[in-house]
Amino acid sequence: MKNKIKLLALLFAVTISLSSFSQSNNDGNWIKIAEKLVAFKSDKDVITPTGNERKVDKIKIKCVQGTLKLKKVRVEMSDGEKKEYDAKGVGVLSKGMSSLPFNLPGKNNTLKKIELQYDSVGALLVTKKAKIEVVGHVIK
């Protein structure tokens, strides 16, 4: 009986933590900046936003397929300011989960580029490749 109660408590805690990570973009202020399909290896991608995608003050990484282990996120702003975020604390993102927002440096700055370092988790024949979206919070 004690084991069942512990298991239920653990499941409840996991459900609560997953729901906090899988925040939706339905508040109308988040736009998709990019979408990437991740290979089954360590990889690094550079994303260069254009147009309205540049006017954001926060970004999030959202996993829409597969499983992904985020390592680092680097951003460069239009004034040359760069910032690196250690994303190891984010952990492993599964389908439907997203990272917490990363606040971008500077005010009235535009986003010049984003560099992501990650590992796709899984096996070639067993699981689908991870697919991610980078979403940005639009400055009002």
Side-chain angles (χ1 to χ4, degrees):
M1 183 67 176
K2 284 185 179 181
N3 287 339
K4 287 182 181 180
I5 292 173
K6 287 180 184 179
L7 180 61
L8 286 174
L10 178 64
L11 287 173
F12 179 75
V14 168
T15 303
I16 295 298
S17 65
L18 288 178
S19 67
S20 68
F21 278 114
S22 61
Q23 302 166 1
S24 69
N25 318 349
N26 295 338
D27 67 4
N29 295 328
W30 292 91
I31 60 169
K32 182 167 51 170
I33 294 174
E35 189 174 76
K36 292 285 182 182
L37 190 61
V38 182
F40 287 109
K41 61 178 182 166
S42 286
D43 205 358
K44 180 169 88 170
D45 280 322
V46 176
I47 300 162
T48 306
T50 58
N52 289 338
E53 299 167 350
R54 297 179 59 158
K55 298 285 187 181
V56 295
D57 60 351
K58 300 175 196 169
I59 60 170
K60 288 194 294 188
I61 313 303
K62 183 178 177 183
C63 184
V64 294
Q65 174 181 295
T67 305
L68 173 88
K69 182 178 180 183
L70 195 58
K71 292 179 175 179
K72 288 186 183 179
V73 177
R74 291 183 189 101
V75 294
E76 184 176 337
M77 305 306 288
S78 59
D79 68 354
E81 186 174 359
K82 298 176 183 180
K83 187 165 183 179
E84 182 174 306
Y85 306 92
D86 184 9
K88 290 179 184 172
V90 172
V92 176
L93 300 177
S94 302
K95 181 179 177 179
M97 295 175 67
S98 66
S99 69
L100 295 173
F102 297 104
N103 291 319
L104 300 179
K107 292 188 179 190
N108 298 326
N109 239 349
T110 55
L111 184 59
K112 187 175 177 183
K113 73 177 179 180
I114 306 164
E115 186 178 302
L116 302 172
Q117 274 188 313
Y118 46 74
D119 282 329
S120 181
V121 180
L124 185 60
L125 298 174
V126 180
T127 56
K128 291 184 177 181
K129 290 182 179 180
K131 185 176 186 179
I132 61 161
E133 290 179 352
V134 179
V135 293
H137 186 262
V138 179
I139 298 172
K140 289 189 173 189

